[in-house]
């Protein structure tokens, strides 16, 4: 059974870079043509897609975040990662990693990590 | 401001039916499949409907989805108190080349 687990610092200072990793277990990140995504949810607010990456490194980013986001994949560790630069309090959110239900599909996510709360504060 | 528009809240009595609307445009709902998610407080979203009207394994047929033009609808029949949750629509926006979500709808089962 596929499982995703987010990890990283729960507290980041303003203007610094938020870095998170999603570890995939129960399946290989490079075994099929899946896209692997990051979605966030500010406290009390709705879902916002950040971006997605394929095992080969092809990426899609949310245009509103594109200038600050880098998503990468490490197939040797079965992980993919998120970096969000120049963070502000508005980036405080629960960050989820997720995988779509079908290969070559960027959206409709059927497997989610539990989420990790990242707070931006000095 | 979300690209997809949902009502902030809906409510209905146990056993009744409720619908949740999701309005978009020709570049997103009008051109691509719609998905729906259910989210309970403190938990990750769960895929309820994909490809407009298909249910993943394990999702009861009380949940249904439909699409017409640039709008989509989630229907829930035989409401239960356990259905109280937030519901989100989602699709691909071909102009933005991005996944877009609705703002979410809080369902209250009175």
């Amino acid at each position: 059974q596929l499982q995703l687990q987010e990890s990283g610092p729960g507290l980041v200072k303003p203007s610094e870079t938020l870095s998170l990793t999603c570890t995939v277990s129960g399946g290989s990140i490079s075994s099929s043509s899946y896209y692997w995504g990051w979605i966030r949810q500010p406290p009390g607010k709705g879902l916002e897609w950040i971006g997605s990456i394929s095992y080969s490194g092809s990426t899609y980013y949310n245009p509103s975040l594109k200038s600050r986001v880098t998503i990468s994949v490490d197939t040797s560790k079965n992980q993919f990662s998120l970096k969000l630069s120049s963070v502000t309090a508005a980036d405080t959110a629960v960050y989820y990693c997720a995988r779509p239900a079908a290969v070559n599909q960027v959206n409709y996510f059927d497997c989610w990590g539990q989420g990790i709360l990242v707070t931006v504060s000095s | 401001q979300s690209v997809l528009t949902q009502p902030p809240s809906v409510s209905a009595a146990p056993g009744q039916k409720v619908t949740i609307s999701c309005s978009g445009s020709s570049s997103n709902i009008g051109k691509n499949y719609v998905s729906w998610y259910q989210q309970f407080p403190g938990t990750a979203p769960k895929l309820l409907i994909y490809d407009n009207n298909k249910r993943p394994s394990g999702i009861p047929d009380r949940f249904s989805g439909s699409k017409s033009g640039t709008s989509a609808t989630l229907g829930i029949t035989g409401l239960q108190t356990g259905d109280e949750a937030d519901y989100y629509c989602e699709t691909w926006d071909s102009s933005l080349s991005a996944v877009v979500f609705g703002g979410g709808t809080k369902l209250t089962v009175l």
Side-chain angles (χ1 to χ4, degrees), chain A residues 39 41 45-49 52 60-63 96 101 105-110 112-115, chain B residues 33 35 37 39 42-47 50-51 88 90-92 96-103:
Chain A
I39 297 105
Q41 185 172 35
K45 297 187 178 181
L47 301 167
E48 179 181 37
W49 174 74
S52 298
Y60 289 93
Y61 294 136
N62 185 325
Y96 296 100
Q105 192 77 24
V106 181
N107 63 324
Y108 74 84
F109 304 95
D110 73 335
W112 295 69
Q114 66 183 26
Chain B
Y33 289 119
S35 306
Y37 299 85
Q39 186 182 33
T43 68
K46 177 182 181 180
L47 184 65
Y50 67 99
D51 287 359
Y88 294 90
E90 176 255 275
T91 189
W92 178 257
L96 297 173
S97 290
V99 179
V100 291
F101 285 94

Side-chain angles (χ1 to χ4, degrees), chain A residues 31-50:
Chain A
S31 63
S32 300
S33 301
Y34 283 102
Y35 278 84
W36 304 85
W38 288 98
I39 297 105
R40 70 179 182 178
Q41 185 172 35
K45 297 187 178 181
L47 301 167
E48 179 181 37
W49 174 74
I50 300 170

Side-chain angles (χ1 to χ4, degrees), chain B residues 61-73:
Chain B
D61 59 6
R62 299 189 300 108
F63 295 91
S64 64
S66 64
K67 187 182 98 167
S68 179
T70 59
S71 294
T73 302

Side-chain angles (χ1 to χ4, degrees), chain A residues 20-31:
Chain A
L20 297 175
T21 296
C22 182
T23 300
V24 179
S25 59
S28 172
I29 203 168
S30 58
S31 63

Side-chain angles (χ1 to χ4, degrees), chain B residues 76-92:
Chain B
I76 311 173
T77 59
L79 275 172
Q80 303 172 0
T81 55
D83 295 331
E84 282 202 343
D86 294 323
Y87 292 85
Y88 294 90
C89 58
E90 176 255 275
T91 189
W92 178 257

